[in-house]
Amino acid sequence: EAQVTQNPRYLITVTGKKLTVTCSQNMNHEYMSWYRQDPGLGLRQIYYSMNVEVTDKGDVPEGYKVSRKEKRNFPLILESPSPNQTSLYFCASREVGTGANEQFFGPGTRLTVL
Amino acid sequence: GEDVEQSLFLSVREGDSSVINCTYTDSSSTYLYWYKQEPGAGLQLLTYIFSNMDMKQDQRLTVLLNKKDKHLSLRIADTQTGDSAIYFCAESINYGGSQGNLIFGKGTKLSVKP
């Protein structure tokens, strides 16, 4: 089954404790992206990657890191989480081309930083 | 910068039609999208429209695009309780290094009353 998976689905942590949220897709997509969803703010892009070893900042990259060492994986790293990073996080992937290029979303990771 | 606006809430009675409206700013967007997010889930692509089209119909869904006014709407005929969800409008960026990135609206929460 074609899908985007994220782990963990739920995470409660404390300020300053480094964490990684993994994202993996099995569709051989070049493009992957991380978003955060907050009430009243919709989805905001954190980082995206057009291909292996190519990453770029989105609209709200502060406090986050990513890496793209393999095509299928795009982990989101919070080196020193803070309470304002409490949010619902989504990973997405799509093909790169001239068509509609539907983005496929993972199920989300709900992060709480105390 | 680019912006996508949509109303935050819509309430309809089961069996009525729902119309969710959206305005966008990037006149060069090639595709415009409607995504649906059910409670506790990720986003799923509902439908999309190519920018040179005025209308697209897919079963109960009708998308209308007014390029002059940069206005997009989604009509759901015979709305059912299962249509209760958050609906996101999105436009694709069609220039520069961010080409293909999506800009999402804040989402319209559709509540369907029996």
Side-chain angles (χ1 to χ4, degrees):
Chain A
E1 181 192 352
Q3 60 183 352
V4 179
T5 56
Q6 297 178 226
N7 280 293
R9 295 288 316 278
Y10 302 91
L11 178 60
I12 300 174
T13 189
V14 295
T15 299
K17 186 176 180 184
K18 181 180 178 179
L19 67 93
T20 299
V21 184
T22 64
C23 173
S24 183
Q25 50 94 4
N26 62 2
M27 294 167 279
N28 202 36
H29 287 163
E30 294 91 349
Y31 177 99
M32 297 185 75
S33 180
W34 276 102
Y35 300 88
R36 60 179 288 174
Q37 183 180 15
D38 302 289
L41 296 177
L43 268 80
R44 294 179 293 168
Q45 191 177 48
I46 303 170
Y47 269 94
Y48 67 98
S49 168
M50 297 293 281
N51 214 326
V52 175
E53 301 292 0
V54 180
T55 62
D56 280 292
K57 294 177 181 178
D59 298 317
V60 288
E62 293 79 20
Y64 304 95
K65 285 173 58 176
V66 292
S67 70
R68 189 88 184 276
K69 293 184 171 56
E70 309 161 280
K71 201 171 189 180
R72 63 182 294 127
N73 295 323
F74 190 44
L76 179 70
I77 303 150
L78 285 71
E79 294 270 3
S80 182
S82 62
N84 65 11
Q85 293 178 297
T86 292
S87 188
L88 179 58
Y89 292 87
F90 288 102
C91 181
S93 73
R94 64 170 173 82
E95 292 180 350
V96 172
T98 55
N101 295 330
E102 174 186 355
Q103 281 202 32
F104 293 83
F105 283 80
T109 295
R110 187 166 290 281
L111 172 66
T112 302
V113 184
L114 302 173
Chain B
E2 305 83 13
D3 201 11
V4 176
E5 299 281 346
Q6 49 183 131
S7 53
L8 294 182
F9 301 99
L10 176 65
S11 180
V12 300
R13 293 220 169 269
E14 192 172 19
D16 288 349
S17 290
S18 307
V19 180
I20 303 172
N21 294 301
C22 168
T23 57
Y24 61 96
T25 55
D26 184 5
S27 58
S28 69
S29 289
T30 310
Y31 290 93
L32 294 133
Y33 305 82
W34 284 104
Y35 279 82
K36 177 183 181 182
Q37 183 183 30
E38 295 185 354
L43 280 71
Q44 277 188 298
L45 181 66
L46 257 189
T47 186
Y48 64 89
I49 187 166
F50 189 50
S51 59
N52 69 352
M53 297 169 66
D54 299 323
M55 185 182 90
K56 181 179 180 181
Q57 187 150 5
D58 183 2
Q59 300 182 327
R60 292 190 297 122
L61 305 178
T62 303
V63 178
L64 295 178
L65 175 60
N66 180 329
K67 281 196 75 175
K68 175 174 165 289
D69 295 337
K70 298 195 190 85
H71 183 267
L72 182 74
S73 68
L74 173 70
R75 179 176 180 268
I76 305 173
D78 187 25
T79 312
Q80 303 297 307
T81 54
D83 294 324
S84 294
I86 301 176
Y87 292 81
F88 290 92
C89 172
E91 62 171 343
S92 61
I93 296 175
N94 201 36
Y95 57 85
S98 301
Q99 189 165 9
N101 278 353
L102 297 183
I103 304 295
F104 286 89
K106 292 180 171 51
T108 299
K109 184 173 184 178
L110 174 65
S111 298
V112 182
K113 294 181 172 29

PDB file of all heavy atoms in Angstrom, chain A residues 28-32 50 92-97 100-104, chain B residues 98-102:
ATOM      1  N   ASN A  28       8.601   6.247  -3.804  1.00  0.00           N
ATOM      2  CA  ASN A  28       9.751   6.708  -4.582  1.00  0.00           C
ATOM      3  C   ASN A  28       9.620   8.184  -4.990  1.00  0.00           C
ATOM      4  O   ASN A  28      10.080   8.597  -6.057  1.00  0.00           O
ATOM      5  CB  ASN A  28       9.970   5.838  -5.839  1.00  0.00           C
ATOM      6  CG  ASN A  28      11.402   5.930  -6.353  1.00  0.00           C
ATOM      7  OD1 ASN A  28      12.349   6.027  -5.573  1.00  0.00           O
ATOM      8  ND2 ASN A  28      11.556   5.920  -7.658  1.00  0.00           N
ATOM      9  N   HIS A  29       8.985   8.969  -4.121  1.00  0.00           N
ATOM     10  CA  HIS A  29       8.796  10.388  -4.415  1.00  0.00           C
ATOM     11  C   HIS A  29      10.078  11.168  -4.175  1.00  0.00           C
ATOM     12  O   HIS A  29      10.789  10.944  -3.193  1.00  0.00           O
ATOM     13  CB  HIS A  29       7.688  10.966  -3.539  1.00  0.00           C
ATOM     14  CG  HIS A  29       6.329  10.528  -3.943  1.00  0.00           C
ATOM     15  ND1 HIS A  29       5.231  10.636  -3.101  1.00  0.00           N
ATOM     16  CD2 HIS A  29       5.865   9.997  -5.091  1.00  0.00           C
ATOM     17  CE1 HIS A  29       4.171  10.189  -3.727  1.00  0.00           C
ATOM     18  NE2 HIS A  29       4.525   9.791  -4.938  1.00  0.00           N
ATOM     19  N   GLU A  30      10.318  12.127  -5.067  1.00  0.00           N
ATOM     20  CA  GLU A  30      11.492  12.989  -4.891  1.00  0.00           C
ATOM     21  C   GLU A  30      11.254  14.035  -3.801  1.00  0.00           C
ATOM     22  O   GLU A  30      12.138  14.370  -3.035  1.00  0.00           O
ATOM     23  CB  GLU A  30      11.824  13.728  -6.204  1.00  0.00           C
ATOM     24  CG  GLU A  30      12.286  12.822  -7.346  1.00  0.00           C
ATOM     25  CD  GLU A  30      11.126  12.366  -8.206  1.00  0.00           C
ATOM     26  OE1 GLU A  30       9.940  12.571  -7.825  1.00  0.00           O
ATOM     27  OE2 GLU A  30      11.394  11.783  -9.273  1.00  0.00           O
ATOM     28  N   TYR A  31      10.065  14.565  -3.766  1.00  0.00           N
ATOM     29  CA  TYR A  31       9.754  15.704  -2.897  1.00  0.00           C
ATOM     30  C   TYR A  31       9.167  15.237  -1.575  1.00  0.00           C
ATOM     31  O   TYR A  31       8.273  14.383  -1.545  1.00  0.00           O
ATOM     32  CB  TYR A  31       8.758  16.608  -3.619  1.00  0.00           C
ATOM     33  CG  TYR A  31       8.273  17.813  -2.842  1.00  0.00           C
ATOM     34  CD1 TYR A  31       8.820  19.072  -3.055  1.00  0.00           C
ATOM     35  CD2 TYR A  31       7.225  17.700  -1.926  1.00  0.00           C
ATOM     36  CE1 TYR A  31       8.360  20.184  -2.372  1.00  0.00           C
ATOM     37  CE2 TYR A  31       6.763  18.794  -1.229  1.00  0.00           C
ATOM     38  CZ  TYR A  31       7.335  20.045  -1.459  1.00  0.00           C
ATOM     39  OH  TYR A  31       6.876  21.142  -0.772  1.00  0.00           O
ATOM     40  N   MET A  32       9.691  15.795  -0.474  1.00  0.00           N
ATOM     41  CA  MET A  32       9.103  15.543   0.842  1.00  0.00           C
ATOM     42  C   MET A  32       9.067  16.858   1.606  1.00  0.00           C
ATOM     43  O   MET A  32       9.861  17.771   1.344  1.00  0.00           O
ATOM     44  CB  MET A  32       9.905  14.493   1.612  1.00  0.00           C
ATOM     45  CG  MET A  32       9.902  13.129   0.928  1.00  0.00           C
ATOM     46  SD  MET A  32      10.699  11.828   1.861  1.00  0.00           S
ATOM     47  CE  MET A  32       9.478  11.492   3.141  1.00  0.00           C
ATOM     48  N   MET A  50      13.620  18.673  -2.209  1.00  0.00           N
ATOM     49  CA  MET A  50      13.290  18.333  -3.593  1.00  0.00           C
ATOM     50  C   MET A  50      13.923  17.021  -4.037  1.00  0.00           C
ATOM     51  O   MET A  50      13.520  16.430  -5.041  1.00  0.00           O
ATOM     52  CB  MET A  50      13.729  19.460  -4.539  1.00  0.00           C
ATOM     53  CG  MET A  50      13.022  20.783  -4.305  1.00  0.00           C
ATOM     54  SD  MET A  50      11.265  20.719  -4.695  1.00  0.00           S
ATOM     55  CE  MET A  50      11.310  20.840  -6.480  1.00  0.00           C
ATOM     56  N   ALA A  92       4.727  15.004   4.298  1.00  0.00           N
ATOM     57  CA  ALA A  92       4.052  14.776   3.026  1.00  0.00           C
ATOM     58  C   ALA A  92       5.090  14.485   1.953  1.00  0.00           C
ATOM     59  O   ALA A  92       6.258  14.884   2.078  1.00  0.00           O
ATOM     60  CB  ALA A  92       3.203  15.986   2.628  1.00  0.00           C
ATOM     61  N   SER A  93       4.660  13.810   0.896  1.00  0.00           N
ATOM     62  CA  SER A  93       5.556  13.556  -0.219  1.00  0.00           C
ATOM     63  C   SER A  93       4.775  13.637  -1.525  1.00  0.00           C
ATOM     64  O   SER A  93       3.546  13.502  -1.541  1.00  0.00           O
ATOM     65  CB  SER A  93       6.224  12.185  -0.092  1.00  0.00           C
ATOM     66  OG  SER A  93       5.312  11.129  -0.356  1.00  0.00           O
ATOM     67  N   ARG A  94       5.484  13.862  -2.608  1.00  0.00           N
ATOM     68  CA  ARG A  94       4.856  13.869  -3.924  1.00  0.00           C
ATOM     69  C   ARG A  94       5.925  13.659  -4.978  1.00  0.00           C
ATOM     70  O   ARG A  94       7.115  13.803  -4.718  1.00  0.00           O
ATOM     71  CB  ARG A  94       4.125  15.181  -4.198  1.00  0.00           C
ATOM     72  CG  ARG A  94       5.015  16.410  -4.254  1.00  0.00           C
ATOM     73  CD  ARG A  94       4.245  17.628  -4.776  1.00  0.00           C
ATOM     74  NE  ARG A  94       5.007  18.871  -4.684  1.00  0.00           N
ATOM     75  CZ  ARG A  94       5.906  19.249  -5.571  1.00  0.00           C
ATOM     76  NH1 ARG A  94       6.186  18.497  -6.618  1.00  0.00           N
ATOM     77  NH2 ARG A  94       6.543  20.396  -5.416  1.00  0.00           N
ATOM     78  N   GLU A  95       5.471  13.362  -6.188  1.00  0.00           N
ATOM     79  CA  GLU A  95       6.387  13.334  -7.318  1.00  0.00           C
ATOM     80  C   GLU A  95       6.769  14.761  -7.698  1.00  0.00           C
ATOM     81  O   GLU A  95       6.090  15.716  -7.306  1.00  0.00           O
ATOM     82  CB  GLU A  95       5.707  12.660  -8.516  1.00  0.00           C
ATOM     83  CG  GLU A  95       5.452  11.196  -8.319  1.00  0.00           C
ATOM     84  CD  GLU A  95       4.770  10.581  -9.533  1.00  0.00           C
ATOM     85  OE1 GLU A  95       4.338  11.334 -10.424  1.00  0.00           O
ATOM     86  OE2 GLU A  95       4.676   9.341  -9.580  1.00  0.00           O
ATOM     87  N   VAL A  96       7.817  14.884  -8.460  1.00  0.00           N
ATOM     88  CA  VAL A  96       8.198  16.180  -9.013  1.00  0.00           C
ATOM     89  C   VAL A  96       7.979  16.113 -10.513  1.00  0.00           C
ATOM     90  O   VAL A  96       8.506  15.221 -11.176  1.00  0.00           O
ATOM     91  CB  VAL A  96       9.681  16.505  -8.710  1.00  0.00           C
ATOM     92  CG1 VAL A  96      10.106  17.757  -9.444  1.00  0.00           C
ATOM     93  CG2 VAL A  96       9.884  16.681  -7.214  1.00  0.00           C
ATOM     94  N   GLY A  97       7.147  16.997 -11.025  1.00  0.00           N
ATOM     95  CA  GLY A  97       6.867  16.968 -12.457  1.00  0.00           C
ATOM     96  C   GLY A  97       5.929  18.075 -12.835  1.00  0.00           C
ATOM     97  O   GLY A  97       5.684  19.001 -12.062  1.00  0.00           O
ATOM     98  N   ALA A 100      -0.396  17.544 -11.778  1.00  0.00           N
ATOM     99  CA  ALA A 100      -1.010  18.056 -10.551  1.00  0.00           C
ATOM    100  C   ALA A 100      -0.211  17.689  -9.314  1.00  0.00           C
ATOM    101  O   ALA A 100      -0.285  18.366  -8.303  1.00  0.00           O
ATOM    102  CB  ALA A 100      -2.435  17.537 -10.430  1.00  0.00           C
ATOM    103  N   ASN A 101       0.545  16.591  -9.390  1.00  0.00           N
ATOM    104  CA  ASN A 101       1.463  16.233  -8.305  1.00  0.00           C
ATOM    105  C   ASN A 101       0.834  16.253  -6.929  1.00  0.00           C
ATOM    106  O   ASN A 101       1.209  17.041  -6.059  1.00  0.00           O
ATOM    107  CB  ASN A 101       2.688  17.162  -8.325  1.00  0.00           C
ATOM    108  CG  ASN A 101       3.513  16.980  -9.576  1.00  0.00           C
ATOM    109  OD1 ASN A 101       3.556  15.889 -10.144  1.00  0.00           O
ATOM    110  ND2 ASN A 101       4.144  18.035 -10.017  1.00  0.00           N
ATOM    111  N   GLU A 102      -0.136  15.377  -6.753  1.00  0.00           N
ATOM    112  CA  GLU A 102      -0.812  15.271  -5.464  1.00  0.00           C
ATOM    113  C   GLU A 102       0.179  15.039  -4.340  1.00  0.00           C
ATOM    114  O   GLU A 102       1.089  14.213  -4.461  1.00  0.00           O
ATOM    115  CB  GLU A 102      -1.793  14.106  -5.505  1.00  0.00           C
ATOM    116  CG  GLU A 102      -2.456  13.808  -4.175  1.00  0.00           C
ATOM    117  CD  GLU A 102      -3.316  12.567  -4.221  1.00  0.00           C
ATOM    118  OE1 GLU A 102      -3.482  11.986  -5.308  1.00  0.00           O
ATOM    119  OE2 GLU A 102      -3.836  12.177  -3.160  1.00  0.00           O
ATOM    120  N   GLN A 103       0.001  15.772  -3.255  1.00  0.00           N
ATOM    121  CA  GLN A 103       0.798  15.519  -2.057  1.00  0.00           C
ATOM    122  C   GLN A 103       0.092  14.486  -1.199  1.00  0.00           C
ATOM    123  O   GLN A 103      -1.107  14.582  -0.951  1.00  0.00           O
ATOM    124  CB  GLN A 103       0.995  16.800  -1.234  1.00  0.00           C
ATOM    125  CG  GLN A 103       2.061  17.709  -1.777  1.00  0.00           C
ATOM    126  CD  GLN A 103       2.636  18.669  -0.754  1.00  0.00           C
ATOM    127  OE1 GLN A 103       2.720  18.357   0.435  1.00  0.00           O
ATOM    128  NE2 GLN A 103       3.045  19.830  -1.215  1.00  0.00           N
ATOM    129  N   PHE A 104       0.843  13.500  -0.770  1.00  0.00           N
ATOM    130  CA  PHE A 104       0.333  12.459   0.111  1.00  0.00           C
ATOM    131  C   PHE A 104       0.814  12.763   1.524  1.00  0.00           C
ATOM    132  O   PHE A 104       2.005  12.968   1.745  1.00  0.00           O
ATOM    133  CB  PHE A 104       0.840  11.082  -0.331  1.00  0.00           C
ATOM    134  CG  PHE A 104       0.292  10.643  -1.651  1.00  0.00           C
ATOM    135  CD1 PHE A 104       0.864  11.060  -2.836  1.00  0.00           C
ATOM    136  CD2 PHE A 104      -0.817   9.812  -1.708  1.00  0.00           C
ATOM    137  CE1 PHE A 104       0.353  10.672  -4.068  1.00  0.00           C
ATOM    138  CE2 PHE A 104      -1.339   9.397  -2.922  1.00  0.00           C
ATOM    139  CZ  PHE A 104      -0.757   9.829  -4.104  1.00  0.00           C
TER     140      PHE A 104
ATOM    141  N   SER B  98      10.909  27.581  -4.997  1.00  0.00           N
ATOM    142  CA  SER B  98       9.806  26.952  -4.248  1.00  0.00           C
ATOM    143  C   SER B  98       8.764  26.349  -5.166  1.00  0.00           C
ATOM    144  O   SER B  98       7.676  26.002  -4.715  1.00  0.00           O
ATOM    145  CB  SER B  98       9.124  27.996  -3.347  1.00  0.00           C
ATOM    146  OG  SER B  98      10.044  28.551  -2.447  1.00  0.00           O
ATOM    147  N   GLN B  99       9.085  26.222  -6.449  1.00  0.00           N
ATOM    148  CA  GLN B  99       8.072  25.747  -7.384  1.00  0.00           C
ATOM    149  C   GLN B  99       7.505  24.408  -6.954  1.00  0.00           C
ATOM    150  O   GLN B  99       8.248  23.475  -6.638  1.00  0.00           O
ATOM    151  CB  GLN B  99       8.680  25.606  -8.777  1.00  0.00           C
ATOM    152  CG  GLN B  99       7.666  25.322  -9.854  1.00  0.00           C
ATOM    153  CD  GLN B  99       8.238  25.538 -11.245  1.00  0.00           C
ATOM    154  OE1 GLN B  99       9.423  25.744 -11.392  1.00  0.00           O
ATOM    155  NE2 GLN B  99       7.397  25.494 -12.238  1.00  0.00           N
ATOM    156  N   GLY B 100       6.201  24.341  -6.967  1.00  0.00           N
ATOM    157  CA  GLY B 100       5.527  23.115  -6.584  1.00  0.00           C
ATOM    158  C   GLY B 100       5.115  23.099  -5.130  1.00  0.00           C
ATOM    159  O   GLY B 100       4.305  22.275  -4.730  1.00  0.00           O
ATOM    160  N   ASN B 101       5.666  23.987  -4.302  1.00  0.00           N
ATOM    161  CA  ASN B 101       5.209  24.061  -2.911  1.00  0.00           C
ATOM    162  C   ASN B 101       3.772  24.532  -2.883  1.00  0.00           C
ATOM    163  O   ASN B 101       3.312  25.269  -3.753  1.00  0.00           O
ATOM    164  CB  ASN B 101       6.074  25.032  -2.107  1.00  0.00           C
ATOM    165  CG  ASN B 101       7.351  24.399  -1.622  1.00  0.00           C
ATOM    166  OD1 ASN B 101       7.558  23.195  -1.758  1.00  0.00           O
ATOM    167  ND2 ASN B 101       8.232  25.208  -1.063  1.00  0.00           N
ATOM    168  N   LEU B 102       3.063  24.080  -1.871  1.00  0.00           N
ATOM    169  CA  LEU B 102       1.672  24.474  -1.704  1.00  0.00           C
ATOM    170  C   LEU B 102       1.546  25.512  -0.602  1.00  0.00           C
ATOM    171  O   LEU B 102       2.198  25.421   0.433  1.00  0.00           O
ATOM    172  CB  LEU B 102       0.809  23.268  -1.353  1.00  0.00           C
ATOM    173  CG  LEU B 102       0.715  22.151  -2.384  1.00  0.00           C
ATOM    174  CD1 LEU B 102      -0.243  21.068  -1.903  1.00  0.00           C
ATOM    175  CD2 LEU B 102       0.255  22.692  -3.724  1.00  0.00           C
TER     176      LEU B 102
END
